[in-house]
Amino acid sequence: MDPIYKALIVCTNHTDYPTKSHKTGLWLSEATHFYDELADRKLPYDIASPNGGRVPIDEKSIDRRDTINEKWYNDPTFRHKLEHSIRLDEVNPADYQIVYFTGGHGTMWDFPDNPTLQAITRQIYENGGFVAAVCHGVSGLLNVRLSDGTTLIDNRQVTGFSNMEEKLARLDDQVPFLLEDALRQKNALYSKGILPFLPYIEVDERLVTGQNPLSARKVGRKVMEEMYEK
C-alpha cells in the first residue's frame, strides 16, 4: 500500500502592478494542473499564502476553455481552500512532504523575501521532502538557505519564467526584477526550453521546477513519479 503524503500548495496574496490597471495574483492553472496530478493519488493537501485568507486570481488566467481550471475552480473543497488559505505562520512544516510554489506575477513581490516561507521550505526539504515551483513561483526559492548556510539553489539545475517570456508578456517593465537574471545571480544552473511558453521542467534530486504555466502539470507528474519511486 502506498504511503499517504501531504502537499502544501503556496499562493500569492499580491495583486497590484506598479502602473498597470489590471490585477495580478495566482495564475490559476498553475494550481489546478499541478493538483490534478496529485488528485489521481488522492493526496491530501492544504493551500497557504503569506497573509492567509482569499487567494486573488489573475483575471487573465481564468480561461473557460481550460477544463481542468473549470473542474477544480468549481470543486467546493478546492474553492474553499483557495478562499480560506492558511497563513504561512500557521503552517507546521512537519505535516508535509511536498511544498509547491504556484506562480502568477504577484509572487515576485511576496515570495522572495518571506522568512516564514524560507523556513518552511528548508524544513520540508531537510526532512527528505520535495520542493517544487513553477513560473514566477520559482522566485520563492531565491533566498532559501539550508541549515549549513548554503543557498538551496546554489549550483542546482532550475528553470523559471524566462526573460524572453517576460518581454513577450509585455510585463518586463512591471516586475521588480527579471527572474531568469536573479536565478543566475544566485549561482543556479538556469536553463529554459528552446521555444517560449511550452512545457519545460528541470529536476535536481528533490527539487523540481517548471518554466511557465504550461509546465505545471509536468511538475506535478514528476513530483509524483519521484516520490512514489523512492
Side-chain angles (χ1 to χ4, degrees):
M1 183 175 167
D2 282 340
I4 299 298
Y5 298 113
K6 190 174 185 181
L8 183 67
I9 298 173
V10 185
C11 302
T12 185
N13 295 120
H14 187 92
T15 59
D16 295 326
Y17 289 108
T19 61
K20 298 275 187 186
S21 59
H22 71 270
K23 301 294 186 182
T24 182
L26 164 69
W27 196 265
L28 185 58
S29 65
E30 293 176 19
T32 58
H33 286 217
F34 175 87
Y35 177 66
D36 201 52
E37 290 294 318
L38 275 58
D40 289 343
R41 295 272 189 177
K42 297 183 168 52
L43 251 71
Y45 69 103
D46 288 319
I47 295 178
S49 62
N51 301 328
R54 188 182 71 85
V55 171
I57 310 294
D58 189 309
E59 60 207 38
K60 295 190 173 185
S61 74
I62 301 178
D63 185 349
R64 302 295 179 200
R65 296 162 299 175
D66 185 327
T67 57
I68 304 302
N69 269 356
E70 287 285 287
K71 174 182 174 182
W72 292 114
Y73 197 55
N74 293 310
D75 176 84
T77 302
F78 192 89
R79 184 73 166 266
H80 184 270
K81 288 176 187 276
L82 270 180
E83 293 179 352
H84 301 85
S85 68
I86 302 168
R87 279 177 61 102
L88 285 179
D89 60 11
E90 296 173 349
V91 166
N92 178 5
D95 292 341
Y96 304 95
Q97 292 75 39
I98 305 166
V99 60
Y100 169 64
F101 303 158
T102 59
H105 280 82
T107 59
M108 298 282 277
W109 283 271
D110 63 359
F111 276 17
D113 298 313
N114 189 303
T116 309
L117 184 57
Q118 292 163 24
I120 290 168
T121 306
R122 176 175 63 251
Q123 190 167 333
I124 291 174
Y125 186 77
E126 292 185 344
N127 283 346
F130 280 76
V131 174
V134 75
C135 201
H136 292 93
V138 179
S139 67
L141 300 175
L142 284 167
N143 298 308
V144 175
R145 288 191 177 275
L146 302 177
S147 295
D148 64 4
T150 61
T151 307
L152 174 64
I153 60 171
D154 181 51
N155 207 35
R156 303 288 295 276
Q157 301 282 347
V158 299
T159 188
F161 208 59
S162 70
N163 292 352
M164 176 60 72
E165 286 167 325
E166 204 68 85
K167 289 181 173 67
L168 290 171
R170 297 182 178 177
L171 290 167
D172 54 306
D173 63 339
Q174 297 293 306
V175 289
F177 57 89
L178 292 174
L179 181 55
E180 176 182 336
D181 289 350
L183 289 165
R184 293 184 190 279
Q185 287 161 10
K186 291 287 184 178
N187 203 37
L189 304 177
Y190 178 87
S191 65
K192 57 190 172 184
I194 296 170
L195 296 174
F197 297 112
L198 291 180
Y200 183 84
I201 69 170
E202 275 292 350
V203 184
D204 194 320
E205 295 180 336
R206 290 178 289 110
L207 178 63
V208 183
T209 49
Q211 183 178 330
N212 47 41
L214 281 179
S215 307
R217 178 176 291 282
K218 287 189 77 170
V219 171
R221 187 173 298 160
K222 191 63 181 174
V223 170
M224 291 297 93
E225 286 174 5
E226 296 287 320
M227 181 162 270
Y228 284 96
E229 281 176 5
K230 282 170 61 180

